[in-house]
Amino acid sequence: MSAEFTGPPWATDWTKLAAGYRDTLPAAVRDLITDAVTELKTSRHPYRDDHLDTTRVSIEPVRSTDPRGAHILYFDRGHGWLRYTFVHRTAEPQIVIEQVFWQ
């Protein structure tokens, strides 16, 4: 009997809009996004900042009244952020990145 692997690294998917915007950014910013997403994908839980390098990224819920809903991952000292949700499935939990912003 084999057990399903349900921990980090988490599977990640991007909406077309988020991936399209990410791809228009300069290479240095795309590298920052890759680093931030890697930090998130390897975290113990995508909705908590424990075991994250909080000098590089931070997270918070979009709405404090919905702590299991969409979250924001800040990167590049707050110059950029990603909006994502975590779909907690038994066989393959997944992070879905819905929106990216950088200034």
Side-chain angles (χ1 to χ4, degrees):
M1 179 181 237
S2 66
E4 294 290 334
F5 181 73
T6 60
W10 307 105
T12 307
D13 196 12
W14 295 73
T15 63
K16 277 188 171 185
L17 184 63
Y21 179 72
R22 175 201 62 203
D23 295 344
T24 66
L25 294 170
V29 177
R30 290 194 311 268
D31 290 344
L32 291 171
I33 292 170
T34 298
D35 292 345
V37 171
T38 299
E39 186 79 23
L40 181 63
K41 287 173 60 167
T42 58
S43 68
R44 282 196 177 167
H45 193 284
Y47 282 172
R48 293 192 294 260
D49 62 4
D50 54 336
H51 300 96
L52 286 178
D53 182 355
T54 54
T55 62
R56 299 176 58 193
V57 298
S58 63
I59 60 174
E60 67 181 36
V62 171
R63 292 179 33 201
S64 62
T65 57
D66 190 12
R68 292 182 179 234
H71 274 59
I72 301 287
L73 171 74
Y74 297 99
F75 64 94
D76 192 22
R77 290 181 232 133
H79 291 283
W81 52 263
L82 316 165
R83 180 181 181 194
Y84 70 95
T85 55
F86 180 61
V87 181
H88 190 78
R89 299 182 290 233
T90 302
E92 186 181 340
Q94 181 179 47
I95 295 169
V96 178
I97 299 171
E98 302 170 341
Q99 192 173 19
V100 179
F101 178 79
W102 182 80
Q103 62 179 359

